[in-house]
C-alpha cells in the first residue's frame, strides 16, 4: 500500500532527525554551548513536519478509520495509545521551545541541561512511538481494515500528498538545511 509506505518513509526521515538530535546534544555538551539556531529550526521542523505533516495525516486518515472500524482493540490502540503519544510529543516540543527561550535569556547550567533533557526526551519518545507504529499499529490496520476502507486510506493519502506537495518540498529543504547547521 502506497499510503503505508509513505508513512514508513516519513518515519525514516524523522528517525534521521532524531539521531541528529542525539549527535547534536553530544556536540553541545562537548562545546558547553548550544547552537540556538539549530534548535529553533529543529522545533519548526518537528512542529511542521513530524507533527502537522505526519501525525496529522495519521490521525485524519488511517487512525480515524481504525478507531471507527476495529472495535475495542482499535479504540484502545489508537485513542489511548497513539493519540495520547502524539499529545505527549506535542508537550515535549512545547517544553523544548520554552527551554531554548530560557537558555537564550540566560546561559545558565540549569537552562542548558533543560534543553538537552528535552532533546533527548523527544528522541526517546518518538523512537518508541515509531517502532510501535511500524511493527504493531500499521500492520494491524493493514490486516484488519476492510478492502473498502483501505481503498479510502489510499485515496485520501494521495489527495493529501497532492494538495500539500509544495509544503512537503519546502519542508524537505528545511530538513536539508538542518543537517548543515
Ligand atoms: Fe504517530
Ligand atoms: Fe508515525
Amino acid at each position: 500500500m502506497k499510503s503505508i509506505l509513505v508513512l514508513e518513509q516519513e518515519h525514516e526521515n524523522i528517525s534521521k532527525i532524531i539521531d541528529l538530535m542525539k549527535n547534536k546534544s553530544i556536540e553541545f555538551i562537548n562545546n558547553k554551548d548550544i547552537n540556538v539556531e539549530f534548535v529553533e529550526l529543529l522545533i519548526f521542523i518537528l512542529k511542521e513536519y513530524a507533527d502537522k505533516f505526519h501525525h496529522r495525516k495519521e490521525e485524519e486518515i488511517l487512525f480515524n478509520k481504525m478507531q471507527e472500524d476495529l472495535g475495542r482493540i482499535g479504540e484502545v490502540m489508537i485513542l489511548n495509545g497513539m493519540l495520547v503519544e502524539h499529545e505527549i510529543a506535542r508537550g515535549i516540543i512545547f517544553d523544548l521551545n520554552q527551554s531554548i527561550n530560557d537558555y537564550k535569556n540566560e546561559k545558565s547550567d540549569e537552562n542548558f541541561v533543560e534543553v538537552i533533557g528535552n532533546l533527548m526526551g523527544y528522541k526517546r519518545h518518538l523512537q518508541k512511538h515509531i517502532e510501535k507504529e511500524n511493527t504493531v499499529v500499521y500492520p494491524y490496520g493493514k490486516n484488519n481494515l476492510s478492502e473498502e476502507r483501505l481503498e479510502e486510506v489510499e485515496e485520501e493519502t494521495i489527495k493529501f500528498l497532492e494538495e500539500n506537495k509544495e509544503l512537503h518540498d519546502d519542508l524537505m529543504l528545511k530538513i536539508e538545511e538542518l543537517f548543515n547547521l
Side-chain angles (χ1 to χ4, degrees), residues 7 11 14 50 54-55 58 63 86 126 129-130 133-134 138:
L7 292 174
H11 280 173
I14 297 168
H54 177 74
H55 292 159
E58 288 177 333
F63 291 176
H86 287 179
L126 247 277
H129 179 73
I130 284 174
E133 288 180 336
N134 283 348
Y138 294 170

Side-chain angles (χ1 to χ4, degrees), residues 98-110:
Q98 182 70 54
S99 64
I100 196 68
N101 286 336
D102 291 344
Y103 181 78
K104 269 163 77 177
N105 288 334
E106 192 201 340
K107 293 193 171 186
S108 65
D109 289 348
E110 198 184 328

Side-chain angles (χ1 to χ4, degrees), residues 2-17:
K2 181 174 160 54
S3 51
I4 306 281
L5 287 176
V6 165
L7 292 174
E8 286 169 349
Q9 177 60 50
E10 288 167 4
H11 280 173
E12 277 181 37
N13 291 339
I14 297 168
S15 294
K16 282 183 199 149
I17 295 167

